[in-house]
Amino acid sequence: MKPDIDIIVKDILAEDPELGLEVSALRALVSELAEKRPDVTVDATFRNELRTKLLHELYVRKEKRTRLPWWLIYTVPVGVTAMLLIMVRPTATVVPTMPAPTSTESFDAAPAMLEMERGASKRSAEMGDAAASADASMMYEAPAGSADFFTAAFTSDRMAVRLAYVSVSTPAFVVVTDATGVVATSDLLLPGEQTNLELLLAKAATPGATYTATLHYDNGDGVFNTVDDMPALDAAGLTISMTLMQ
Amino acid sequence: MENEADIVLRAQAGDSEAVGLLYDHYLDPIYRFIYYKVFSQEVAEDLTSDTFLKALRQLGSYHSGKGRFNSWLYRIARNTVVDYYRTKKEHAPIDDIFDLGQDDRTPEQIDTLASLARIEEYLQTLPARQREIITLRVWEGKSFAEIATLLDGTEASMKMAFSRSIRELRRVCGDSAPILLLVLAALPFPIYSYYMHI
């Protein structure tokens, strides 16, 4: 940029008026000084090379910024694999199962529990309170992902269904149905394990017909009814039932 | 440079186009700024290259609250030149620093420096800041406001320092003053860098 000599001289005089006595000499000095300015031009090759170097540096820096740290490169795949394994693992195995109480414990605890449940149901009915009803229903709602289990089969004369083994965590019933509806219902099964129970049928099972035994949780009144005593669900959300073989 | 603040922000975000714009705008003035201190094309190119690479690496640390971008960039250039001379002769006494950089000079520059002995006494009294103000004002044509920004001073102090330099030049050298100033400009940078804190 070529400087304006007049402005430079004017600036000098503004700061130092005494130099005004020799303005011409001052102007000559500044002019000559300006003319002695070295002619400096940037070499074109250098210009291009430095530009290339800068852009390369910028690229490398961006690459470094976007690259994962070495420890993440190894830990991320391991973490993702672990997550996938957890997700695809059979859900029944990851849901903690409720420990089955011993038969002694279950029978000791059962009357108190049943009394409490019945009390709640009675209170709900008396109050006619929706909230109380909700509390009661929650109290008797089947545990999500229940691990309750039973085995059932017809007796040889097909007049009854034998429950060889039952394990429930909350009061329940085993209900046998055919195409017409309920054909047999167990007594209230208290929490714990029970074996060799028999459900008598009103008439012998019809050969060729399909019969299903299903576990239902009691709603707290100790009496089975198809509306309030909902089928028990296992951890997969499926009804705990079995088709009876003849 | 229009929208320089926006361009700097883009460059800080890694925008190569913005980096290119800043480079194109500042390469020539920064190169001249350095050249006037080293008077060697090769050295000026090396130091200019270092300056821009440092600026790129430190770009993230710049923010407008610290001052204008060009002031920040010139400061990097000045420090780069200072480092160059310090590295070249780290433990040299001030008197020996006159010899620095002579190997890089062309014959023309050596002729110009033939009168170095004549001005040595004057150099002892000339503050480095005044010399830098003269080259920026007369050769680079920068306003005092710009010089004040670059050198971290006030516009009034830049004007005052410039006038004092000219007066001193007139008093000491008389009619040969322009040649003297040219020689001054050709002297290695550390001569005056030791007189001031840059």
Side-chain angles (χ1 to χ4, degrees):
Chain A
M1 183 184 291
K2 195 170 182 178
D4 188 322
I5 304 300
D6 290 335
I7 292 177
I8 292 176
V9 172
K10 188 179 171 185
D11 285 338
I12 295 169
L13 294 177
E15 289 294 321
D16 194 347
E18 288 183 11
L19 288 173
L21 300 173
E22 41 187 22
V23 173
S24 58
L26 187 61
R27 186 185 301 277
L29 187 152
V30 175
S31 297
E32 192 173 350
L33 183 59
E35 287 168 8
K36 296 294 183 185
R37 176 194 176 192
D39 185 20
V40 180
T41 53
V42 180
D43 180 69
T45 305
F46 167 71
R47 183 187 297 273
N48 292 331
E49 284 178 354
L50 181 54
R51 170 186 272 274
T52 304
K53 192 188 289 187
L54 285 173
L55 294 180
H56 179 259
E57 172 86 9
L58 183 68
Y59 174 78
V60 170
R61 289 171 65 80
K62 283 166 76 176
E63 280 289 298
K64 279 184 183 174
R65 206 180 305 167
T66 54
R67 196 181 304 156
L68 287 172
W70 66 267
W71 56 271
L72 265 183
I73 291 173
Y74 293 102
T75 54
V76 164
V78 171
V80 169
T81 306
M83 288 297 293
L84 285 173
L85 283 174
I86 290 170
M87 290 170 69
V88 301
R89 193 176 169 194
T91 50
T93 60
V94 296
V95 174
T97 56
M98 187 173 291
T102 63
S103 57
T104 308
E105 285 173 345
S106 64
F107 282 100
D108 286 345
M113 185 181 289
L114 196 56
E115 189 59 35
M116 181 179 70
E117 291 162 354
R118 285 177 176 162
S121 180
K122 186 179 177 184
R123 189 168 60 248
S124 173
E126 286 173 354
M127 293 172 68
D129 187 340
S133 178
D135 286 344
S137 66
M138 284 176 68
M139 184 177 291
Y140 300 110
E141 190 174 318
S146 170
D148 293 350
F149 176 71
F150 72 93
T151 59
F154 283 113
T155 55
S156 55
D157 60 0
R158 298 199 303 279
M159 289 300 293
V161 172
R162 183 184 301 278
L163 302 178
Y165 176 79
V166 179
S167 173
V168 292
S169 56
T170 189
F173 303 95
V174 172
V175 179
V176 179
T177 56
D178 66 4
T180 62
V182 177
V183 295
T185 304
S186 72
D187 293 330
L188 182 65
L189 304 171
L190 297 175
E193 296 173 323
Q194 298 177 59
T195 56
N196 296 321
L197 302 175
E198 278 196 359
L199 284 62
L200 296 176
L201 302 176
K203 60 174 183 176
T206 307
T210 302
Y211 292 84
T212 304
T214 304
L215 188 68
H216 287 249
Y217 288 121
D218 181 33
N219 70 345
D221 62 4
V223 179
F224 175 72
N225 79 73
T226 55
V227 177
D228 297 323
D229 299 331
M230 302 302 291
L233 304 178
D234 64 12
L238 302 174
T239 303
I240 300 175
S241 63
M242 61 182 297
T243 301
L244 300 176
M245 308 300 292
Q246 296 184 55
Chain B
M1 190 176 191
E2 288 185 11
N3 300 321
E4 183 174 275
D6 291 338
I7 294 171
V8 170
L9 284 175
R10 282 169 48 204
Q12 287 177 318
D15 184 339
S16 57
E17 186 188 356
V19 171
L21 286 172
L22 291 172
Y23 173 75
D24 290 340
H25 186 74
Y26 283 110
L27 176 63
D28 289 272
I30 290 292
Y31 179 84
R32 285 197 301 270
F33 180 77
I34 291 172
Y35 185 89
Y36 294 154
K37 295 175 183 358
V38 299
F39 274 85
S40 160
Q41 179 182 340
E42 187 182 347
V43 177
E45 287 181 354
D46 285 347
L47 298 184
T48 301
S49 180
D50 289 348
T51 297
F52 277 95
L53 284 169
K54 282 181 191 172
L56 183 63
R57 289 166 189 157
Q58 297 171 18
L59 194 56
S61 68
Y62 167 77
H63 62 83
S64 55
K66 289 181 178 176
R68 292 180 57 184
F69 178 76
N70 66 347
S71 179
W72 178 78
L73 189 59
Y74 273 90
R75 194 171 296 119
I76 292 175
R78 295 169 75 195
N79 290 338
T80 302
V81 176
V82 170
D83 289 345
Y84 164 74
Y85 281 114
R86 282 180 179 160
T87 304
K88 196 157 186 172
K89 202 161 187 177
E90 191 173 357
H91 304 296
I94 291 176
D95 291 345
D96 292 345
I97 294 173
F98 279 91
D99 297 330
L100 294 178
Q102 286 190 354
D103 294 342
D104 303 321
R105 292 177 188 136
T106 63
E108 293 75 17
Q109 290 164 358
I110 292 172
D111 287 343
T112 304
L113 293 169
S115 57
L116 182 64
R118 293 175 49 210
I119 62 167
E120 188 173 349
E121 186 178 348
Y122 177 71
L123 288 175
Q124 299 296 329
T125 61
L126 179 68
R129 199 174 184 83
Q130 289 184 11
R131 178 186 175 276
E132 196 159 24
I133 292 169
I134 288 173
T135 57
L136 287 170
R137 181 74 185 102
V138 180
W139 286 356
E140 286 295 285
K142 291 194 178 298
S143 68
F144 285 115
E146 289 175 306
I147 295 170
T149 303
L150 297 180
L151 303 184
D152 289 331
T154 64
E155 188 175 345
S157 67
M158 296 299 118
K159 285 181 178 178
M160 186 180 295
F162 181 74
S163 295
R164 281 180 184 169
S165 300
I166 296 294
R167 168 181 272 272
E168 192 68 8
L169 195 61
R170 289 284 302 149
R171 187 183 67 77
V172 173
C173 304
D175 293 338
S176 62
I179 300 300
L180 172 61
L181 268 186
L182 182 62
V183 173
L184 285 176
L187 288 173
F189 184 64
I191 292 172
Y192 54 89
S193 72
Y194 275 83
Y195 287 95
M196 61 181 293
H197 300 290
I198 295 178

